[in-house]
Amino acid sequence: MRFHQIKEVYQHILNVNKRFETLCEQLLIETKDERIRMYIYFLLKKQHDNNDYLKNLIKSESHKVIDSWVDEEIENKITKNFIEYEQRKILTVDDILNINLEIIEIINNWLLIIVDVSTNQTVKEHMLDLIERQTQQSHQLVHSAHRMDDM
């Protein structure tokens, strides 16, 4: 189905975040490298914060926004990418960082499409806020990975 409500958009991003959390938890089981484990714990905290933010959006957004329809498919490229991510050998903090940055980029590009096709100005503003939040997070993740390299 091509038409979706904004709450489905938020839910899709939540599902992507949860899938990334599962990947990180599996990496925690597999790796013994303390730097990687520290970074994974940091990422899991960030993902938890993101999920809380999205859940709050779903609960607190007005019905005018959350029930708005957009003429755009749910982004499925990321779902296919997770198969590759799960098979990839993760050896460094940069490996994990690159996967997370790729996920953020795919989601943000999809949200930009939603901004373009949406007719509701409030929806556009909220999508742009979410993009900005995720962009800021990607900068924090890069900065934190560089700090890990300094350790």
Side-chain angles (χ1 to χ4, degrees), residues 90-105:
I90 308 294
L91 300 174
T92 66
V93 167
D94 283 342
D95 293 338
I96 301 165
L97 173 65
N98 289 333
I99 289 171
N100 194 261
L101 292 177
E102 186 175 316
I103 291 168
I104 291 171
E105 180 180 7

Side-chain angles (χ1 to χ4, degrees), residues 104-133:
I104 291 171
E105 180 180 7
I106 290 168
I107 294 295
N108 281 353
N109 288 338
W110 176 57
L111 291 174
L112 282 171
I113 292 169
I114 292 171
V115 167
D116 286 342
V117 300
S118 178
T119 59
N120 182 320
Q121 188 60 36
T122 305
V123 168
K124 290 178 183 244
E125 291 168 7
H126 291 211
M127 291 297 116
L128 289 170
D129 288 346
L130 185 55
I131 292 167
E132 178 61 28
R133 178 183 168 82

